[in-house]
Amino acid sequence: MMLRYLLFSFLLYRDEPSLSSQRRWSLNLMHEDCTTFPNIPANVSQDDKAMIIDQLGYLPSNLVSVSARRGTGSPLALMTYSLNGGGARRKRKALGKLTPFPTLYWFCCPTVGKAISELEREGFVGILESRLSENSAVLNDFIECHRGYARERWNSLLSEHQNYILQSERMTRMVRDSGIAGTDYQSFFSPQIITTATDSEVASLNGLPIKASIKCLHAHYAHYRSQIEQYEDCDYPLNIIGYWTHELLKERYKELIL
């Protein structure tokens, strides 16, 4: 048990790996100011691209910007365009010309990621789901947060891509209708509430039984950190799961630079 703890501590607190000169040189061959979609500008410096490649092993083809940073200055989360994202393996399995990628804010930091994975291993997904279900006001805000995320993602797409997605019910559910981490947040409501709720309102929970699902702490933390770094532009509630994750990280990993 002690050996496992020492190994985890070493992996968690070691410096992020430095970039080789060969990797830096290879960046000069890449597009500097756009994604794979010519009309979607990307605001990412060469230094950031180098760090992202070192973190993920590749540069996402749908990268738009660095949306959040660690205290070290290195990228923590990325804003992506919601089509044709993911690694080579995902793209090989994809069908069609344009593949939906519902993760608007993508967690990219392996150092902080190890600590979040440890929280998940210790059962905090279930713990925080229970905490959500105990407070209807907090759960209402969380549902509105999902709704805002979905709206922000959909509005970030060009109209031609929105029209393309609307041709498929499956793609529409993924990109227009799902929340953070692809969550079907409408399923949080009981059947009685679903029939009365509209797309632009959050129905009162009224103490009825509600199922809450979190799925992935990394996705919620990436969203929360991106929200607080651009708070003035965010018109929906802060991600409470991301906030709780942040507080847990500060409490349990005091030497970790967030």
Side-chain angles (χ1 to χ4, degrees):
M1 190 71 177
M2 178 60 70
L3 180 60
R4 181 180 177 281
Y5 174 78
L6 291 172
L7 177 61
F8 176 73
S9 297
F10 168 75
L11 293 172
L12 184 60
Y13 294 115
R14 68 176 178 171
D15 291 334
E16 291 182 273
S18 59
L19 292 160
S20 67
S21 58
Q22 183 177 3
R23 278 189 171 185
R24 287 189 180 277
W25 174 81
S26 70
L27 289 171
N28 293 327
L29 303 178
M30 298 180 180
H31 295 293
E32 294 187 10
D33 56 3
C34 65
T35 66
T36 52
F37 302 101
N39 295 328
I40 308 300
N43 182 23
V44 187
S45 71
Q46 289 293 86
D47 284 343
D48 279 338
K49 287 180 180 179
M51 286 187 280
I52 292 165
I53 287 176
D54 208 59
Q55 291 172 327
L56 299 177
Y58 63 97
L59 190 69
S61 58
N62 62 338
L63 175 62
V64 173
S65 66
V66 175
S67 57
R69 296 181 185 274
R70 291 181 68 194
T72 62
S74 61
L76 181 81
L78 311 174
M79 184 178 185
T80 67
Y81 195 69
S82 294
L83 288 170
N84 290 9
R89 182 179 177 185
R90 183 180 188 275
K91 289 179 179 177
R92 283 196 299 269
K93 294 168 62 178
L95 299 175
K97 183 176 64 172
L98 298 176
T99 305
F101 186 79
T103 306
L104 180 63
Y105 294 108
W106 190 1
F107 189 86
C108 65
C109 175
T111 304
V112 178
K114 289 184 181 75
I116 296 176
S117 293
E118 187 69 5
L119 292 178
E120 292 181 335
R121 189 196 68 79
E122 293 179 25
F124 275 98
V125 170
I127 291 169
L128 296 184
E129 284 178 345
S130 297
R131 189 173 172 184
L132 260 182
S133 299
E134 291 168 358
N135 189 320
S136 61
V138 171
L139 183 53
N140 258 328
D141 277 349
F142 184 58
I143 292 169
E144 185 61 24
C145 181
H146 274 293
R147 197 187 305 276
Y149 183 99
R151 182 174 62 247
E152 182 182 3
R153 179 180 55 214
W154 184 249
N155 290 340
S156 73
L157 293 171
L158 297 175
S159 59
E160 62 194 80
H161 291 151
Q162 290 179 344
N163 292 334
Y164 175 83
I165 288 168
L166 289 171
Q167 296 175 41
S168 163
E169 183 179 345
R170 174 178 170 273
M171 288 197 297
T172 301
R173 285 198 307 269
M174 289 179 67
V175 181
R176 190 192 67 180
D177 299 335
S178 72
I180 304 142
T183 301
D184 177 14
Y185 62 90
Q186 290 288 353
S187 68
F188 294 178
F189 297 112
S190 69
Q192 301 95 301
I193 294 180
I194 287 178
T195 60
T196 59
T198 68
D199 189 57
S200 61
E201 70 184 18
V202 177
S204 172
L205 301 181
N206 293 324
L208 293 174
I210 295 295
K211 179 186 73 172
S213 173
I214 291 174
K215 295 178 72 170
C216 175
L217 295 183
H218 297 77
H220 289 283
Y221 192 58
H223 180 220
Y224 167 74
R225 288 292 297 269
S226 300
Q227 279 185 296
I228 63 175
E229 291 200 17
Q230 50 187 342
Y231 184 73
E232 293 181 358
D233 297 326
C234 186
D235 61 354
Y236 55 90
L238 287 177
N239 188 320
I240 188 63
I241 298 302
Y243 171 73
W244 286 341
T245 300
H246 188 67
E247 293 302 302
L248 284 168
L249 290 171
K250 289 196 300 182
E251 175 187 337
R252 299 168 72 87
Y253 305 105
K254 291 180 171 57
E255 297 180 23
L256 180 61
I257 300 174
L258 298 174

